């Protein structure tokens, strides 16, 4: 006999789900994935929503961020890990801690990654060889040394800073200059501080000009008040001089400037105010002179006289007259203060601050804050390397599990540890259902799942999360047992992989044969349902007939009680029978008859069945029953067995967004992995029923027992007599048939003797 030579080669395959799949356990197996043709992978693409993995890990693998991970992205992730790690042993062991010693010092950009790891270790107070978990790397405070040195160039107001720096940062933020730090806190960037400093210097320059230039504060501290009043009257005075000049230029009547044609009802204040607001300040008299002693528009007279009493205008008056030239001189005198005030009113975030507040801010250490920001920016390369470090840590921890749920599906058939394709565990009907996946489009999912020949229940899970309710639709495969106790609306409980509990209720069912035992029992259930329906139909028919007969009899009895009026020339009717007296026992026959309708119908049905079967032998009855079972159940059993044999697990996975390469038939043993009754834990068992404890059954007296045994004996005698009756009838029929045969023979024998004699 020729010995079997073991196959040679670097690939190691194992039987998974009825087919050979790559075995991924050792460091060399990760390299083999890169060389294995994609046709031999378990899957070629998967929807990230169908996977129960760390979301950051999936984002790193899904390089184009389209929500679908394909074979090229998986290979790129493996090449990335292979470049940075000296070997893949830690990845094969799925270690959760990454060490600096495991990084290849020759890898491109690895120096920044190592510096970032050292910075985190230093911030956490650890040694270089202790290692970092992905949680350590994700913690912003450990990476960025209390969130200030995180490389984003933003400094936040923190307790570790000097009070002067905190005050300065708050002032910059209060001025509307703010940038959000990577940690999510409000802070200031270099552009914010520079803009604040420029605005502050401009404000201080304006304050210095006000103090040093007498042309600005021409009237001292009262300049602002005088300028405000002058501004309110400036447009009115300018309008007066314009109207006067227009009248001279156009040779028009000066008095027309007050619109005499507009007549207002003096009894309506609103109309008067409207008329005055459309009129000029005063009636022009001397072309280029405004005489304040003449009548002025009542709306503006008081304000104009107040202005005339101030130094801002009194110095330019000739008695009570203001010429156009002097008015322009007054405007020029206040122009410097107007320009200064306009510059101070610019919106730069500091317009509401007083001079003393501005002086106080100028004394704060702005240069020191700028230095902190520049120092923070110097950490940008180190912090950006933190993303690479986190990527490597997640690859080391999760890549093995991911490959065994993508390149190979060995994790899917592990009864101890749930696969990352499974969303959790449904407990319902005393069973565990573990093959559960998310459903995005129920109609599309049901269309695909129908071709898998796997029975699926669609379960809606929900739980209260604060003020909102989290809901999700899952598809749960029923792979063993029976479906008779599962129905739409049945409730259960669902545990996700993090042990979070949800309420579960069946919303829909895609029915398929579940097990061989159910397939063989189904014909008997169908036949039992058929017999039940036929018996119920016969009983209902007989019952209806009996009720109709009783109703007719009662109607005839009631009609007989009504006296008949004889018609003329007609013979008198025969005397009717005397009815029974009403009340008492007179209605007893009717009561007994009405109360026994059901019993009569039942007896009639039994008699009908007995008469129908009295001429049929028991063998024939059993043969007919067996034939009915075969006719009813034979095809369904065959079809169910075929569907159970053709159950396709790959099609079930494809319904949730997985591109599976080859079909995997779900065997009976495989079905017991995903749907099973858990084993009862060992312990003491008590056979005392609480019903017997809290509601004990009373002992039956001897008299009742005797009556019970007599009834059982009578029932047995009736059954025996019935059987004997049917047996005697059968014998009588047989004897009668034999006698008929003998008579025919006797009739034929004399004729035969006469013929013999004649011969």
């Amino acid at each position: 006999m020729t010995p079997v030579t073991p196959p040679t080669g670097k690939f190691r395959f194992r039987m998974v789900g009825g087919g050979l799949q790559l075995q991924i356990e050792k460091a060399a197996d990760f390299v083999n994935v890169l060389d294995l043709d994609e046709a031999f992978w378990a899957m070629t693409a998967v929807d990230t929503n169908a996977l129960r993995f760390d979301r950051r890990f999936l984002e790193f693998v899904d390089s184009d961020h389209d929500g679908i991970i394909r074979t090229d992205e998986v290979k790129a992730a493996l090449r990335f890990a292979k470049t940075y790690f000296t070997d893949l042993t830690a990845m094969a062991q799925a270690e959760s801690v990454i060490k600096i010693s495991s990084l290849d010092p020759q890898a491109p950009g690895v120096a920044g990654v190592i510096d970032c790891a050292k910075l985190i270790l230093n911030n956490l107070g650890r040694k270089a060889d202790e290692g970092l978990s992905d949680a350590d790397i994700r913690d912003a405070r450990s990476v960025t040394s209390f969130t200030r040195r995180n490389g984003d160039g933003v400094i936040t107001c923190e307790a570790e800073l000097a009070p002067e720096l905190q005050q300065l940062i708050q002032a910059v933020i209060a001025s509307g200059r703010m940038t959000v730090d990577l940690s999510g806190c409000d802070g200031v960037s270099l552009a914010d501080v520079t803009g604040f400093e420029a605005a502050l210097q401009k404000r201080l320059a304006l304050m210095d000009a006000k103090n040093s230039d007498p042309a600005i504060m021409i009237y001292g501290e009262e300049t602002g008040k005088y300028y405000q009043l002058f501004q309110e009257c400036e447009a009115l005075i300018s309008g007066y001089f314009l109207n006067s000049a227009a009248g001279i230029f156009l040779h028009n009547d000066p008095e027309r400037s007050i619109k005499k044609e507009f007549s207002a009802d003096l009894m309506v204040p609103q109309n008067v105010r409207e008329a005055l607001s459309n009129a000029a300040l005063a009636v022009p008299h001397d072309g280029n002179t405004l005489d304040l002693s003449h009548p002025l528009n009542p709306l503006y007279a008081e304000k104009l006289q107040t202005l005339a009493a101030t130094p801002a205008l009194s110095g330019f008056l000739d008695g009570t007259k203001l010429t156009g030239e002097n008015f322009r001189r007054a405007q020029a005198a206040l122009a410097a203060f107007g320009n200064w005030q306009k510059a101070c009113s610019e919106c730069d975030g500091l317009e509401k601050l007083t001079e003393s507040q501005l002086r106080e801010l100028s004394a704060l250490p702005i240069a020191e804050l700028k230095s902190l920001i520049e120092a923070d920016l110097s950490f940008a390369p180190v912090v950006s390397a933190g993303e690479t470090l986190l990527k490597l840590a997640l690859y080391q921890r999760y890549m093995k599990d991911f490959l065994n749920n993508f390149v190979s599906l060995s994790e899917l058939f592990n009864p101890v540890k749930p696969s990352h394709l499974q969303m959790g565990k449904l407990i319902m009907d005393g069973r565990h259902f573990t093959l559960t996946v998310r459903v995005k489009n129920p109609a599309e999912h049901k269309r695909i799942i129908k071709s898998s020949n796997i029975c699926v229940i669609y379960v809606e899970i929900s739980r209260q999360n604060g003020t909102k309710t989290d809901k999700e639709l899952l598809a749960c495969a029923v792979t063993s047992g029976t479906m008779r106790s599962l129905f739409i609306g049945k409730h259960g409980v669902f545990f996700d992989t993090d042990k979070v509990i949800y309420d579960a209720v069946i919303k829909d069912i895609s029915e398929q044969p579940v097990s061989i035992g159910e397939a063989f029992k189904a014909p008997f259930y169908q036949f039992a349902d058929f017999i039940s329906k036929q018996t119920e139909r016969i009983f209902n028919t007989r019952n209806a007939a009996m009720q109709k007969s009783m109703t007719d009899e009662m109607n005839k009895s009631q009609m007989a009680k009504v006296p008949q009026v004889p018609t003329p020339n007609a013979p008198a009717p025969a005397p009717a029978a005397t009815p029974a007296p009403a009340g008492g026992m007179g209605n007893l026959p009717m009561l007994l008859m009405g109360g026994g309708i059901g019993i009569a119908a039942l007896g009639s049905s039994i008699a009908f069945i007995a008469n129908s079967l009295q001429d049929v032998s028991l063998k024939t009855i059993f043969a007919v029953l067996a034939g009915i079972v075969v006719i009813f159940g034979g095809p369904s059993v065959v079809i169910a067995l075929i569907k159970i044999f053709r159950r396709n697990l790959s099609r079930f996975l494809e319904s949730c967004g997985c591109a599976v390469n080859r079909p995997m038939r779900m065997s009976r043993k495989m079905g017991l992995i995903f749907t099973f009754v858990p084993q009862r834990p060992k312990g003491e068992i008590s056979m005392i029923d609480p019903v017997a404890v809290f509601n004990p059954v009373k002992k039956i007296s001897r008299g009742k027992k005797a009556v019970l045994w007599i009834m059982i004996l009578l029932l047995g005698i009736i059954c025996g007599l019935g059987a004997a009756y049917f047996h005697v009838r059968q014998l009588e029929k047989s004897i009668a048939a034999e006698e008929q045969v003998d008579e025919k023979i006797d009739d034929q024998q004399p004729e035969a003797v006469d013929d013999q004699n004649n011969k």
Side-chain angles (χ1 to χ4, degrees), residues 218-219 230 234 311-313 316 322 324-335:
I218 187 172
Y219 303 112
F230 186 85
E234 184 178 10
L313 195 62
F316 300 94
L322 176 66
E325 182 180 358
N326 286 339
F327 175 67
R328 287 188 289 273
R329 286 175 53 218
Q331 285 180 315
L334 293 171

Side-chain angles (χ1 to χ4, degrees), residues 321-362:
K321 295 181 179 181
L322 176 66
T323 63
E325 182 180 358
N326 286 339
F327 175 67
R328 287 188 289 273
R329 286 175 53 218
Q331 285 180 315
L334 293 171
F337 179 84
N339 293 334
W340 178 86
Q341 190 181 55
K342 183 179 180 181
C344 289
S345 63
E346 291 180 1
C347 184
D348 58 359
L350 304 177
E351 62 273 7
K352 295 182 180 180
L353 300 180
T354 63
E355 182 177 357
S356 61
Q357 291 173 329
L358 293 172
R359 299 291 180 188
E360 183 181 355
L361 291 177
S362 65

Side-chain angles (χ1 to χ4, degrees), residues 53-97:
F53 266 101
D54 184 283
R55 304 317 296 178
R56 288 288 285 154
F57 170 80
L58 295 177
E59 289 174 6
F60 283 135
V61 179
D62 183 19
S63 56
D64 58 0
H65 305 294
D66 62 347
I68 303 295
I69 297 178
R70 291 174 291 273
T71 56
D72 59 322
E73 293 173 321
V74 176
K75 287 188 174 183
L78 285 174
R79 293 191 188 98
F80 178 85
K82 184 181 176 183
T83 301
Y84 278 88
F85 287 115
T86 54
D87 61 74
L88 301 179
T89 303
M91 185 181 291
Q93 297 173 357
E95 294 183 2
S96 59
V97 174

Side-chain angles (χ1 to χ4, degrees), residues 6-13 29 32:
T8 60
K10 61 180 182 179
F11 296 105
R12 299 187 309 130
F13 294 94
D29 297 332
N32 294 339

Side-chain angles (χ1 to χ4, degrees), residues 172-184:
V172 175
I173 294 175
S175 70
R177 299 167 177 84
M178 182 192 70
T179 305
V180 179
D181 186 74
L182 286 177
S183 62

